[in-house]
Amino acid sequence: MARLLRTNWRKVCLAGLLAAFVLANAVAFMQARAMTHYASGGQRTAAPEALSFVQRSWTIVTGVSLPRPQNSLTPSDAGLEYETRRIEMVGGQYLEGWYVPHIETRGIVLMFPGYAASKDSLLAPAKALHEMGYSAFLVDFRGAGGSSGDSTTLGVREAEDVARSVEYARQEWPGRAITLYGVSMGSAAVMRAVAVEGVRPDALILESSFGSLLSTVGNRFHALGLPATPGAELVVFWGSVQNGLNGFAHNPAQYAEQITSPALVMHGDLDPRVSAEETNLIYSHLNGPKEFVSFAGAGHESLYLFAPELWREKVRQFLAR
């Protein structure tokens, strides 16, 4: 009798472990799907810190809701003249960009937005760069704004978008110095474009980039009040499967080792999505002339909007050199 009870207990435990394993993977699958595929409508899920316990619990199970990013403003709203450009990609895909010319341009800055954002989020820094004497080219990644598609790979596929944008810029405006400016995921894509796609810009401005895809997913688990392991690993695994890539190898801190162009790294010291350790690792791995600026009190947000005077001062000095 005792032996039978022990056998049944083992079966119950094994069944429970199997059920927990299946449930954890199902939740991770849904989380990965929600993170990389934009919804056709609805409201965006608020930041984890702003969610109630019930809302946070539901988000843990179902994943975030991310409506496809749309441009609600244009450069005209910022007092800038512009041209809308379309960049053809393979397979019938395309990118949309806004070209903001400067009559006596000192160079052109190609600008790339962050995760779940479109190029209108870059209008304020674009205007500041224009006032400094630079032309700007604001580009929507595939899946956002005026570009084709409805998904994101958090900087992996987007590196191809950066590379194609640079190719386009060199064809359209030959001889101009090209600076690449990226925010968050945009910075990760820019660094991958250099390391993997062979892009050679004249300078880089890297704002709030994560050190690795695994670490940034883990930070989102922490924001939900959950341990990062094994949830982050499962989400990255299923995201890799769904999108046909290796998310574990998406590490901007390693890409930085291939960067020899002058680089300006900017980071908010209270950023809950990107740790100071990640930023320091990226900075230490850069192999060209480099500068680092910390924005005291800033989180994971537009550093220009947080401290416009400091941003303008540091960017102007960097580009002048």
Side-chain angles (χ1 to χ4, degrees):
M1 184 64 176
R3 184 176 181 181
L4 180 60
L5 288 173
R6 285 196 297 271
T7 300
N8 289 338
W9 177 247
R10 291 193 189 99
K11 290 181 178 179
V12 171
C13 289
L14 288 173
L17 290 173
L18 179 60
F21 175 79
V22 171
L23 178 61
N25 278 273
V27 169
F29 183 93
M30 293 174 66
Q31 289 279 351
R33 181 78 183 178
M35 285 184 67
T36 58
H37 291 76
Y38 295 124
S40 58
Q43 290 187 333
R44 178 173 179 168
T45 302
E49 297 85 355
L51 296 176
S52 67
F53 175 78
V54 173
Q55 291 171 327
R56 190 174 301 182
S57 300
W58 181 249
T59 300
I60 291 170
V61 174
T62 62
V64 295
S65 175
L66 291 173
R68 190 184 189 282
Q70 301 293 337
N71 293 299
S72 58
L73 300 173
T74 72
S76 293
D77 294 297
L80 298 170
E81 295 183 0
Y82 75 103
E83 303 168 6
T84 299
R85 299 293 187 100
R86 177 162 160 157
I87 305 174
E88 300 297 335
M89 304 282 288
V90 296
Q93 297 179 316
Y94 58 89
L95 307 175
E96 184 182 87
W98 288 332
Y99 173 54
V100 180
H102 194 286
I103 296 177
E104 299 179 355
T105 186
R106 304 176 65 182
I108 185 168
V109 183
L110 275 59
M111 308 180 72
F112 302 94
Y115 175 61
S118 52
K119 61 184 179 293
D120 67 350
S121 63
L122 301 169
L123 287 173
K127 184 173 184 178
L129 287 164
H130 191 265
E131 291 171 349
M132 295 178 199
Y134 295 88
S135 301
F137 191 41
L138 294 67
V139 180
D140 277 322
F141 287 124
R142 277 174 288 174
S147 297
S148 62
D150 58 5
S151 63
T152 176
T153 58
L154 288 89
V156 179
R157 182 191 64 196
E158 288 75 12
E160 300 172 9
D161 299 350
V162 173
R164 180 68 184 97
S165 298
V166 172
E167 180 184 31
Y168 180 89
R170 293 201 189 281
Q171 292 171 347
E172 292 293 309
W173 307 291
R176 292 191 188 178
I178 291 180
T179 296
L180 302 182
Y181 169 77
V183 176
S184 188
M185 183 189 80
S187 284
V190 163
M191 284 188 279
R192 181 177 172 86
V194 173
V196 177
E197 301 294 331
V199 173
R200 294 292 178 266
D202 294 284
L204 301 167
I205 301 175
L206 307 171
E207 187 172 312
S208 306
S209 175
F210 53 82
S212 71
L213 180 59
L214 183 60
S215 66
T216 195
V217 173
N219 289 339
R220 281 163 171 76
F221 271 82
H222 289 311
L224 288 167
L226 297 172
T229 302
E233 286 81 1
L234 289 175
V235 169
V236 173
F237 170 78
W238 284 115
S240 299
V241 171
Q242 292 168 11
N243 294 283
L245 52 86
N246 181 7
F248 293 101
H250 184 32
N251 301 316
Q254 293 181 358
Y255 302 152
E257 297 174 357
Q258 306 301 317
I259 295 175
T260 57
S261 303
L264 173 63
V265 177
M266 298 189 287
H267 177 250
D269 69 349
L270 297 183
D271 191 333
R273 302 288 181 265
V274 178
S275 67
E277 289 76 15
E278 291 177 82
T279 304
N280 291 335
L281 193 60
I282 289 172
Y283 185 74
S284 67
H285 284 178
L286 292 168
N287 281 310
K290 54 189 177 183
E291 299 177 37
F292 175 77
V293 182
S294 178
F295 285 67
H300 198 69
E301 58 191 296
S302 168
L303 297 180
Y304 175 84
L305 294 179
F306 179 82
E309 292 302 323
L310 176 61
W311 191 97
R312 280 196 292 263
E313 175 190 358
K314 296 301 182 181
V315 169
R316 181 184 293 108
Q317 292 174 354
F318 171 73
L319 292 177
R321 286 192 290 271

